[in-house]
Amino acid sequence: MRLLTHNMLACNIKGVTKGFPLAIEVTKLETKESEMNPDFLRHIYPKLDWKALHDAAHTLGLNDIPEQVEPAMLEDEDFLQKFHHALLEVHLEEGALICPETNRRFPVTKGVPNMLLNEDEV
Amino acid sequence: MDCVVELEKHTTVDSLHSPSSLRINRVKEHRKSFSSWQVASPRRRSASIRLVARHPDVYEPCDDSFALVDALLADKVNLLEQRPSLCLEVGCGSGYVITSLALILGDVGNAQFLATDISQTAAQVTRETLSAHGLQADVVVTDLVHGLEKRLAGSVDVLVFNPPYVPTPEHEVGAAGITATWAGGERGRVVIDRMLTMVDNLLSTRGWFYMVTLTANNPSEICQIMKKKGFASRIVIQRYTEEENLHVLKFWREDLTFDYDYNSETGGGGATPQSSFSSKMSRFAFWK
């Protein structure tokens, strides 16, 4: 699971009002290189919750993601490379996602987060 | 259109089986015919069946999967023109469809692909299929789109769904193993109807929703339900086997008017403006 997907996931247990962003518990990370597509990054940027990406990246040890982004930075090759790496190249292979409100743990196994709820949580 | 020629090539006639066993038995037929069919369609850009990962509990690509991919191929010109940012497949199973969609849209290159399945095994199989084609997309294990609906609200440009549509006893819906991949409860509508309630929230203003249905699901009624939610619809592909009449339906927000190339149904011959559900009523009549 990449941080791109982490940015899209929220805990939706019945009654939870703020299930986003999910905290990350890292057991195993993998880096898989991929070709950078600046247009994709510029396109996806406005859809991201940047603070969630920033915090998640820091949890994964990617400390060069700035807290705030200026539009001009999206033209900067160096920044785009770091953005690309954090968003798309680092995969959480084993670990968990934790609901910020209930501390419910959603396991991540072989790169796949399991968001299934129990019957009493729906 | 090259895709139209392909439509008939893997439409096989099955011997009589119960609906449930039917979906498995058909796979063997397709395996036999697929290699020659693939050679015959060198321009096809869908997932290679030989690279699709398998597991006994995961539904293998079959008539319905092929119909859905053919519908996407038939709509390729429009898909490329729409330049989707986010494509989501719900119930990805083997990964054949999401992989094909990613290959179809490969030329535009700016789309994000996401897939969900309720089965952890299916999610792994989809990952393997994507990876065998050199693609990266994330897969989430969840019930339909739970956990994604808040953040994806209004963002999904292409939503694809091949539901468990076979009419079965209610208790088979969501049962263990392979049964859950086809068991659709009464009229095959249990999972379909749950999904229909989520489409409006998920789709972007320009979003499209493609879904496979069976005649027994009453697609006409499905279109009417969606019409009340503000969606126009059309049949992208109809496919008849001895056992099943499959339809791939496409929905879009009715307040948007498109005027783009659409020639999949007739097999070519120029542009036809996208038409709304009301003008299709005569076509739906035979379902009743």
XYZ file of all heavy atoms in Angstrom, chain A residues 1-2 4-5 7-12 16-17 19-20 32 34 37 39-40 43-44 47-49 88 91 93 109-116, chain B residues 83 85-86 108-114 118-120 123-124 127 136-143 145-152 155 157 206:
550
model
N 0.835 -1.199 0.000
C 0.000 0.000 0.000
C 0.871 1.250 0.000
O 1.782 1.378 0.795
C -0.879 0.009 1.255
C -1.911 1.111 1.222
S -2.553 1.520 2.854
C -1.165 2.378 3.570
N 0.546 2.132 -0.941
C 1.324 3.361 -1.042
C 0.636 4.484 -0.243
O -0.540 4.393 0.077
C 1.457 3.751 -2.502
C 2.125 2.666 -3.328
C 2.071 2.948 -4.816
N 0.716 2.911 -5.337
C 0.402 3.125 -6.615
N 1.351 3.370 -7.485
N -0.845 3.080 -7.017
N -0.321 7.174 -1.314
C -1.436 7.658 -2.124
C -2.749 7.044 -1.635
O -3.763 7.733 -1.481
C -1.196 7.271 -3.590
C -2.316 7.556 -4.578
C -2.612 9.046 -4.652
C -1.956 7.031 -5.966
N -2.720 5.749 -1.395
C -3.935 5.068 -0.944
C -4.232 5.379 0.518
O -5.389 5.542 0.895
C -3.797 3.559 -1.181
O -3.596 3.373 -2.579
C -5.033 2.813 -0.748
N -3.881 8.040 1.877
C -4.526 9.356 1.856
C -6.015 9.263 1.525
O -6.761 10.212 1.727
C -3.807 10.248 0.830
C -3.783 11.699 1.247
O -4.712 12.444 0.964
N -2.736 12.112 1.948
N -6.437 8.124 0.990
C -7.836 7.955 0.584
C -8.652 7.169 1.618
O -9.858 7.033 1.478
C -7.923 7.188 -0.748
C -7.079 7.752 -1.873
S -7.736 9.323 -2.452
C -6.322 10.039 -3.265
N -7.977 6.587 2.590
C -8.665 5.689 3.516
C -9.060 6.381 4.813
O -8.296 7.177 5.363
C -7.764 4.494 3.857
C -7.557 3.460 2.754
C -6.485 2.456 3.175
C -8.865 2.742 2.426
N -10.248 6.043 5.286
C -10.709 6.562 6.574
C -11.429 5.438 7.315
O -11.949 4.512 6.697
C -11.655 7.736 6.349
N -11.440 5.547 8.613
C -12.172 4.569 9.409
C -13.653 4.942 9.370
O -14.013 6.097 9.594
C -11.669 4.598 10.857
S -12.686 3.614 11.962
N -14.485 3.969 9.065
C -15.918 4.300 8.980
C -16.765 3.459 9.926
O -17.887 3.091 9.622
C -16.419 4.171 7.546
C -16.421 2.741 7.078
O -15.711 1.914 7.657
N -17.216 2.427 6.081
N -18.166 6.955 14.291
C -16.882 7.657 14.195
C -17.057 8.907 13.332
O -17.565 8.833 12.222
C -15.788 6.742 13.594
C -14.558 7.544 13.202
C -15.412 5.650 14.570
N -16.676 10.050 13.842
C -16.844 11.279 13.065
C -15.539 11.710 12.406
O -15.543 12.293 11.344
C -17.363 12.431 13.957
O -16.503 12.535 15.086
C -18.784 12.163 14.406
N -12.466 9.812 11.334
C -11.681 8.583 11.161
C -10.503 8.779 10.226
O -9.981 7.818 9.651
N -10.054 10.032 10.064
C -8.992 10.339 9.109
C -8.085 11.412 9.683
O -8.575 12.344 10.323
C -9.613 10.835 7.797
C -8.609 11.215 6.751
C -8.096 10.258 5.887
C -8.155 12.526 6.641
C -7.160 10.605 4.926
C -7.206 12.874 5.682
C -6.717 11.912 4.821
N 9.791 0.432 -4.224
C 9.755 -0.053 -5.607
C 9.843 1.166 -6.515
O 8.941 2.004 -6.520
C 8.445 -0.813 -5.878
C 8.259 -2.037 -4.974
C 6.889 -2.678 -5.174
C 6.612 -3.693 -4.064
N 5.247 -4.221 -4.102
N 9.634 3.630 -9.514
C 8.732 3.790 -10.646
C 9.048 5.107 -11.333
O 9.640 6.010 -10.728
C 7.276 3.744 -10.181
O 6.999 4.843 -9.348
N 6.001 10.805 -13.031
C 5.122 11.467 -13.997
C 4.701 12.816 -13.386
O 3.757 12.871 -12.596
C 3.908 10.565 -14.263
C 2.929 11.182 -15.236
O 2.939 12.390 -15.477
N 2.070 10.345 -15.798
N 3.068 15.320 -14.441
C 1.666 15.701 -14.662
C 0.746 14.999 -13.672
O -0.197 15.590 -13.150
C 1.228 15.347 -16.094
C 1.725 16.382 -17.079
O 2.106 17.480 -16.624
O 1.742 16.083 -18.281
N 1.011 13.710 -13.453
C 0.204 12.968 -12.484
C 0.298 13.614 -11.109
O -0.712 13.802 -10.418
C 0.671 11.508 -12.420
C -0.074 10.697 -11.392
C -1.308 10.149 -11.686
C 0.448 10.503 -10.120
C -2.010 9.425 -10.731
C -0.246 9.782 -9.165
C -1.481 9.240 -9.477
N -1.543 16.831 -10.914
C -2.961 16.529 -11.007
C -3.524 16.022 -9.673
O -4.622 16.368 -9.260
C -3.122 15.440 -12.065
C -4.378 15.526 -12.823
N -4.593 16.477 -13.787
C -5.508 14.801 -12.765
C -5.788 16.314 -14.280
N -6.370 15.319 -13.670
N -2.744 15.193 -9.031
C -3.219 14.547 -7.798
C -3.065 15.490 -6.603
O -3.797 15.373 -5.615
C -2.461 13.210 -7.558
C -3.237 12.287 -6.614
C -1.060 13.420 -7.019
C -4.303 11.491 -7.279
N -5.968 17.008 -4.756
C -6.896 16.038 -4.151
C -6.364 15.463 -2.851
O -7.086 14.771 -2.134
C -7.146 14.886 -5.135
C -7.854 15.350 -6.379
C -8.144 14.190 -7.280
C -8.901 14.693 -8.496
N -9.163 13.654 -9.461
N -5.104 15.702 -2.597
C -4.500 15.106 -1.403
C -4.752 15.970 -0.179
O -4.869 17.182 -0.267
C -2.993 14.963 -1.599
C -2.542 14.001 -2.700
C -1.035 14.136 -2.911
C -2.902 12.565 -2.351
N -4.824 15.317 0.947
C -4.765 16.025 2.223
C -3.276 16.076 2.565
O -2.680 15.066 2.956
C -5.565 15.250 3.274
C -5.581 15.971 4.604
O -4.484 16.357 5.102
O -6.661 16.137 5.173
N 4.394 7.361 -4.070
C 4.205 6.228 -4.984
C 5.259 5.124 -4.933
O 5.037 4.041 -5.466
C 4.131 6.757 -6.432
C 3.008 7.765 -6.699
C 3.213 8.431 -8.047
C 1.656 7.089 -6.644
N 6.203 1.444 -0.226
C 5.029 0.603 0.013
C 5.045 0.066 1.439
O 6.054 -0.490 1.878
C 5.024 -0.590 -0.947
C 4.892 -0.204 -2.393
N 3.834 -0.605 -3.157
C 5.693 0.550 -3.197
C 3.980 -0.113 -4.388
N 5.103 0.584 -4.436
N 4.264 -2.783 3.350
C 3.964 -4.188 3.033
C 3.320 -4.903 4.213
O 2.413 -5.706 4.050
C 5.237 -4.909 2.596
C 5.705 -4.521 1.200
C 4.726 -4.914 0.100
O 4.361 -6.099 0.037
O 4.309 -4.043 -0.682
N -1.516 -6.495 5.258
C -0.828 -7.764 5.040
C -0.452 -7.890 3.574
O -1.304 -7.689 2.703
C -1.768 -8.946 5.403
O -2.357 -8.671 6.672
C -1.026 -10.261 5.474
N 0.791 -8.228 3.324
C 1.286 -8.350 1.945
C 0.876 -7.142 1.108
O 0.403 -7.269 -0.025
C 0.779 -9.639 1.302
C 1.353 -10.892 1.936
C 0.850 -12.126 1.230
C 1.319 -13.389 1.928
N 0.607 -14.582 1.445
N 0.979 -5.976 1.715
C 0.722 -4.747 0.978
C -0.732 -4.366 0.832
O -1.044 -3.373 0.185
N -1.629 -5.145 1.423
C -3.061 -4.873 1.253
C -3.705 -4.527 2.591
O -3.687 -5.350 3.514
C -3.780 -6.092 0.628
C -5.276 -5.843 0.542
C -3.218 -6.401 -0.753
N -4.264 -3.327 2.720
C -4.976 -2.993 3.954
C -6.331 -3.688 4.011
O -7.007 -3.797 2.983
C -5.162 -1.473 3.847
C -5.086 -1.163 2.396
C -4.240 -2.215 1.747
N -6.684 -4.146 5.178
C -7.972 -4.823 5.362
C -8.886 -3.913 6.180
O -8.718 -3.768 7.390
C -7.761 -6.154 6.072
C -9.058 -6.945 6.179
O -10.150 -6.372 6.182
N -8.947 -8.261 6.276
N -9.858 -3.315 5.499
C -10.750 -2.342 6.135
C -12.085 -2.975 6.543
O -13.021 -2.261 6.918
C -11.021 -1.177 5.184
C -9.781 -0.418 4.721
S -8.814 0.261 6.079
C -9.917 1.537 6.691
N -12.181 -4.289 6.457
C -13.449 -4.963 6.802
C -13.788 -4.725 8.268
O -12.922 -4.791 9.144
C -13.336 -6.463 6.543
C -13.400 -6.937 5.087
C -13.187 -8.449 5.023
C -14.721 -6.556 4.442
N -10.214 11.385 -20.093
C -8.975 11.488 -19.312
C -9.244 11.358 -17.817
O -9.037 12.297 -17.043
C -8.265 12.819 -19.585
C -7.783 12.966 -21.026
C -7.087 14.290 -21.244
N -5.800 14.339 -20.554
C -4.679 13.877 -21.070
N -4.665 13.315 -22.247
N -3.558 13.975 -20.395
N -9.072 10.766 -13.915
C -8.011 10.885 -12.913
C -8.030 9.699 -11.972
O -6.996 9.237 -11.510
C -8.203 12.147 -12.079
O -8.109 13.277 -12.870
N -9.228 9.225 -11.675
C -9.339 8.149 -10.700
C -10.298 7.075 -11.210
O -11.457 7.356 -11.512
C -9.835 8.702 -9.363
C -10.031 7.676 -8.246
C -8.713 6.992 -7.883
C -10.619 8.320 -7.013
N -2.961 7.624 -21.766
C -3.119 8.957 -21.202
C -2.285 9.153 -19.942
O -1.860 10.254 -19.653
C -4.600 9.336 -20.952
C -5.292 9.598 -22.265
C -5.332 8.303 -20.155
N -2.079 8.078 -19.220
C -1.023 8.087 -18.207
C -1.210 8.863 -16.928
O -0.355 8.803 -16.074
N -2.310 9.572 -16.749
C -2.448 10.355 -15.526
C -3.505 9.816 -14.586
O -3.954 10.520 -13.690
C -2.764 11.807 -15.858
C -1.539 12.519 -16.375
O -0.419 12.155 -16.019
N -1.740 13.494 -17.231
N -3.925 8.607 -14.787
C -4.995 8.072 -13.951
C -4.440 7.275 -12.778
O -3.402 6.626 -12.878
C -5.916 7.196 -14.795
N -5.178 7.364 -11.698
C -4.880 6.530 -10.533
C -5.863 5.367 -10.548
O -7.060 5.562 -10.795
C -5.064 7.360 -9.266
C -4.879 6.569 -7.986
C -5.376 7.333 -6.760
O -5.727 8.509 -6.848
N -5.414 6.661 -5.636
N -5.374 4.166 -10.289
C -6.232 2.982 -10.304
C -6.297 2.375 -8.913
O -5.276 2.199 -8.251
C -5.703 1.952 -11.307
C -5.709 2.459 -12.711
C -4.590 3.094 -13.235
C -6.842 2.346 -13.490
C -4.604 3.603 -14.522
C -6.868 2.855 -14.780
C -5.749 3.476 -15.304
N -7.499 2.064 -8.516
C -7.729 1.533 -7.181
C -8.736 0.395 -7.318
O -9.654 0.482 -8.140
C -8.306 2.667 -6.334
C -8.243 2.626 -4.826
C -6.816 2.424 -4.337
C -8.796 3.938 -4.258
N -13.783 -7.955 -1.255
C -14.075 -8.363 0.120
C -13.173 -9.526 0.543
O -13.034 -9.817 1.727
C -15.576 -8.727 0.257
C -16.010 -8.681 1.723
C -15.881 -10.076 -0.386
C -17.516 -8.644 1.916
N -12.523 -10.149 -0.428
C -11.671 -11.305 -0.149
C -10.199 -10.917 -0.163
O -9.698 -10.340 -1.133
C -11.931 -12.391 -1.202
O -10.786 -13.188 -1.387
N -9.522 -11.263 0.914
C -8.080 -11.008 1.006
C -7.351 -11.780 -0.097
O -6.400 -11.280 -0.703
C -7.577 -11.466 2.390
C -6.098 -11.275 2.625
C -5.744 -9.876 3.148
O -6.491 -9.307 3.929
N -4.612 -9.347 2.732
N -7.709 -10.022 -3.343
C -6.869 -8.823 -3.369
C -5.428 -9.197 -3.725
O -4.771 -8.520 -4.527
C -6.923 -8.116 -2.022
N -4.941 -10.295 -3.155
C -3.581 -10.743 -3.468
C -3.464 -11.179 -4.918
O -2.479 -10.887 -5.600
C -3.170 -11.912 -2.551
C -2.912 -11.516 -1.113
C -1.862 -10.417 -0.970
O -0.999 -10.238 -1.826
N -1.960 -9.639 0.092
N -3.300 -8.214 -7.101
C -1.959 -7.615 -7.043
C -0.981 -8.366 -7.941
O -0.175 -7.768 -8.640
C -1.448 -7.647 -5.597
C -1.487 -6.297 -4.926
C -1.207 -6.407 -3.458
N 0.151 -6.846 -3.137
C 1.118 -6.016 -2.748
N 0.906 -4.727 -2.680
N 2.311 -6.484 -2.433
N 1.120 -0.761 -11.456
C 0.993 -0.519 -10.030
C -0.365 0.096 -9.752
O -0.729 1.108 -10.339
C 2.080 0.448 -9.571
C 3.438 -0.204 -9.552
C 4.367 0.458 -8.559
O 4.080 1.534 -8.060
N 5.464 -0.190 -8.258
N -1.105 -0.553 -8.891
C -2.376 0.005 -8.435
C -2.579 -0.563 -7.042
O -2.068 -1.635 -6.729
C -3.509 -0.422 -9.351
N -3.275 0.162 -6.219
C -3.465 -0.334 -4.866
C -4.769 -1.082 -4.735
O -5.763 -0.759 -5.381
C -3.389 0.808 -3.867
C -1.948 1.233 -3.638
O -1.094 0.334 -3.500
O -1.682 2.434 -3.618
N -4.740 -2.110 -3.911
C -5.905 -2.947 -3.690
C -6.250 -2.895 -2.207
O -5.359 -2.972 -1.365
C -5.628 -4.403 -4.118
C -6.902 -5.218 -4.093
C -4.992 -4.461 -5.505
N -7.516 -2.731 -1.920
C -7.972 -2.639 -0.534
C -8.998 -3.734 -0.284
O -9.885 -3.950 -1.108
C -8.617 -1.249 -0.276
C -9.193 -1.165 1.127
C -7.617 -0.127 -0.517
N -8.847 -4.430 0.836
C -9.853 -5.408 1.214
C -10.939 -4.673 1.992
O -10.674 -4.079 3.038
C -9.259 -6.521 2.101
C -10.355 -7.427 2.644
C -8.260 -7.337 1.299
N -12.137 -4.690 1.443
C -13.238 -4.033 2.130
C -14.560 -4.488 1.536
O -14.595 -5.170 0.515
C -13.096 -2.493 2.057
O -13.984 -1.893 2.999
C -13.397 -1.953 0.675
N -15.641 -4.113 2.197
C -16.975 -4.415 1.708
C -17.380 -3.285 0.759
O -17.565 -2.144 1.204
C -17.917 -4.498 2.916
C -19.336 -4.848 2.515
O -19.542 -5.290 1.363
O -20.243 -4.687 3.354
N -17.078 -0.290 -0.927
C -16.116 0.827 -0.877
C -15.954 1.377 0.536
O -15.479 2.493 0.717
C -16.536 1.976 -1.828
C -16.459 1.527 -3.264
C -17.935 2.490 -1.506
N -16.348 0.586 1.529
C -16.271 1.083 2.900
C -14.842 1.501 3.251
O -13.892 0.800 2.976
C -16.764 0.016 3.884
C -18.258 -0.098 3.884
N -18.960 -0.892 4.744
C -19.188 0.505 3.094
C -20.256 -0.784 4.496
N -20.416 0.054 3.499
N -14.740 2.644 3.866
C -13.431 3.164 4.253
C -12.860 4.101 3.196
O -11.932 4.848 3.459
N -13.416 4.041 1.987
C -12.940 4.918 0.911
C -13.953 6.004 0.580
O -13.632 6.997 -0.064
C -12.680 4.088 -0.358
C -11.462 3.162 -0.324
C -11.596 2.067 -1.379
C -10.181 3.948 -0.547
N -15.204 5.788 1.016
C -16.285 6.653 0.517
C -16.162 8.109 0.944
O -16.584 9.000 0.220
C -17.670 6.088 0.863
C -18.056 6.090 2.330
C -17.584 4.862 3.065
O -16.357 4.700 3.183
O -18.405 4.088 3.582
N -15.564 8.341 2.103
C -15.458 9.743 2.542
C -14.470 10.503 1.663
O -14.765 11.582 1.170
C -14.958 9.804 3.994
C -16.034 9.488 5.024
C -15.490 9.666 6.425
C -16.321 8.881 7.424
N -15.626 8.640 8.688
N -13.292 9.955 1.508
C -12.228 10.655 0.791
C -12.407 10.617 -0.721
O -11.864 11.458 -1.426
C -10.867 10.073 1.189
C -10.481 10.353 2.628
C -9.934 11.753 2.808
N -8.711 11.937 2.035
C -8.391 13.069 1.432
N -9.189 14.105 1.499
N -7.276 13.163 0.750
N -13.111 9.594 -1.205
C -13.296 9.506 -2.657
C -14.582 10.172 -3.127
O -14.870 10.183 -4.331
C -13.301 8.040 -3.118
C -12.004 7.250 -2.961
C -12.110 5.917 -3.696
C -10.806 8.021 -3.499
N -15.091 12.008 -6.539
C -13.787 11.974 -7.219
C -13.642 10.881 -8.267
O -12.698 10.898 -9.050
C -12.664 11.748 -6.206
O -12.599 12.789 -5.302
N -13.893 8.966 -11.471
C -14.249 9.268 -12.855
C -14.732 8.023 -13.601
O -15.556 8.110 -14.500
C -13.054 9.869 -13.596
C -12.631 11.193 -12.987
O -13.514 12.015 -12.696
O -11.424 11.402 -12.772
N -18.303 14.312 -13.919
C -18.212 13.738 -15.262
C -18.102 12.218 -15.204
O -17.804 11.565 -16.201
C -16.997 14.311 -15.985
C -15.705 14.000 -15.236
C -14.476 14.616 -15.866
N -13.308 14.327 -15.054
C -12.112 14.072 -15.547
N -11.909 14.068 -16.827
N -11.112 13.819 -14.742
